[in-house]
Amino acid sequence: MIRNQRRQQALQNGIFLLGMQILNYGLDKVPPATLIGVIAQTLLYAGLIRVPWNAEDVCISAVKIIKYKDWQSFFFSNFEHGSDMHLYYNMLSFILKGSYLEPIYGTINFALLLVILSIGCSAMYVSLGYILMQLTADYGYFTACAIGFSATLFALKVIALCEERDKLHNIGGFVVPSKLAVWLELILIHLLVPNSSFIGHLGGILVGCLYSYTFVGETIDNLIHTITGTPIIHEEQFYRRRNRLIA
């Protein structure tokens, strides 16, 4: 049943559009880890990667993790998508961010960083859901369920903005400096796409900030270096941002 539902989803236009966009962008221009990530998530959505759950079964919420210890949702919710267009826009964003960051960090390092960021985004989502429920007494924050790669993409966006030199970005017609771009994008997406997960996107930004601006990022870099034997080399701009905040 699950397999048939996924194969029906695969007939939707989003996957076709994604394939066309990749070909237009240039298949050879997409780095290996990014390309594998895009293909794997597309095949998962299409049902060609066989898993014993439906996408909605692994949506993540604070209550599922804290109360019911649903670790399947904790680890896999980031890689499922609710619709073909959800997949399409996320994978386009992933291609752009991965094509920028993966050549800087190296393929294996970037792949490990993606895993760590995804786990961090799940932990942040659960933490925010619990904290907001405690602060507002609104149980909806505790039970709000989400799937998709968007949180990890927001984390990658923060990191990418920290790697580049300060410049202006056009976000929905508003021209803003790099440090404000991700926050404006968060607000615009929430206003234009009310069903999107504000907590998930905010959590991704916070994870990206922890990596980019605090000792957490240095700890992650050292861990990855220990595993792969290859250090993550950041642009000078990145180190200035991290050291400025620590100082």
Side-chain angles (χ1 to χ4, degrees):
M1 179 66 176
I2 292 174
R3 182 180 178 183
N4 290 337
Q5 288 174 348
R6 288 180 178 270
R7 289 191 180 279
Q8 289 172 10
Q9 288 176 327
L11 299 177
Q12 299 174 20
N13 291 329
I15 293 178
F16 173 76
L17 292 173
L18 177 60
M20 292 300 296
Q21 288 287 357
I22 292 174
L23 292 177
N24 289 336
Y25 182 80
L27 192 62
D28 58 318
K29 295 180 181 178
V30 185
T34 302
L35 183 60
I36 291 171
V38 171
I39 292 173
Q41 291 185 67
T42 302
L43 293 178
L44 178 62
Y45 176 81
L48 298 177
I49 294 179
R50 306 175 75 177
V51 290
W53 64 74
N54 206 357
E56 293 75 13
D57 297 336
V58 292
C59 70
I60 188 171
S61 68
V63 67
K64 287 177 71 173
I65 305 306
I66 294 175
K67 185 174 181 179
Y68 298 108
K69 315 300 182 187
D70 186 352
W71 301 116
Q72 181 173 268
S73 296
F74 185 88
F75 290 109
F76 297 113
S77 59
N78 288 303
F79 307 106
E80 289 282 7
H81 290 84
S83 71
D84 61 323
M85 297 310 295
H86 186 201
L87 173 76
Y88 169 71
Y89 286 115
N90 274 358
M91 293 304 98
L92 282 187
S93 178
F94 184 34
I95 288 170
L96 294 176
K97 294 172 177 62
S99 295
Y100 175 62
L101 291 173
E102 185 176 335
I104 298 174
Y105 296 167
T107 294
I108 303 300
N109 285 350
F110 182 69
L112 283 174
L113 180 60
L114 283 177
V115 172
I116 293 171
L117 290 176
S118 296
I119 293 173
C121 286
S122 291
M124 186 64 75
Y125 184 89
V126 172
S127 300
L128 287 175
Y130 178 78
I131 291 169
L132 289 171
M133 185 265 291
Q134 293 291 337
L135 292 176
T136 66
D138 184 349
Y139 198 68
Y141 289 114
F142 199 53
T143 58
C145 222
I147 55 174
F149 203 57
S150 301
T152 305
L153 291 174
F154 266 96
L156 289 175
K157 185 175 184 67
V158 173
I159 296 169
L161 290 173
C162 287
E163 289 286 0
E164 68 182 18
R165 295 191 178 276
D166 290 322
K167 66 179 183 179
L168 298 178
H169 290 261
N170 189 322
I171 306 295
F174 298 93
V175 179
V176 296
S178 295
K179 61 184 178 182
L180 298 179
V182 69
W183 297 103
L184 178 58
E185 186 173 340
L186 171 68
I187 295 170
L188 288 178
I189 289 178
H190 184 59
L191 292 176
L192 298 175
V193 190
N195 292 331
S196 63
S197 174
F198 181 81
I199 297 176
H201 296 167
L202 175 61
I205 291 175
L206 295 178
V207 169
C209 288
L210 283 173
Y211 178 80
S212 301
Y213 296 120
T214 75
F215 70 92
V216 173
E218 187 174 352
T219 301
I220 291 173
D221 286 351
N222 291 337
L223 173 63
I224 291 174
H225 183 190
T226 300
I227 294 173
T228 67
T230 304
I232 286 184
I233 305 298
H234 295 289
E235 299 290 342
E236 182 182 352
Q237 178 78 4
F238 188 98
Y239 285 116
R240 287 206 303 268
R241 289 177 185 273
R242 182 181 283 175
N243 293 336
R244 186 162 59 222
L245 185 72
I246 294 174

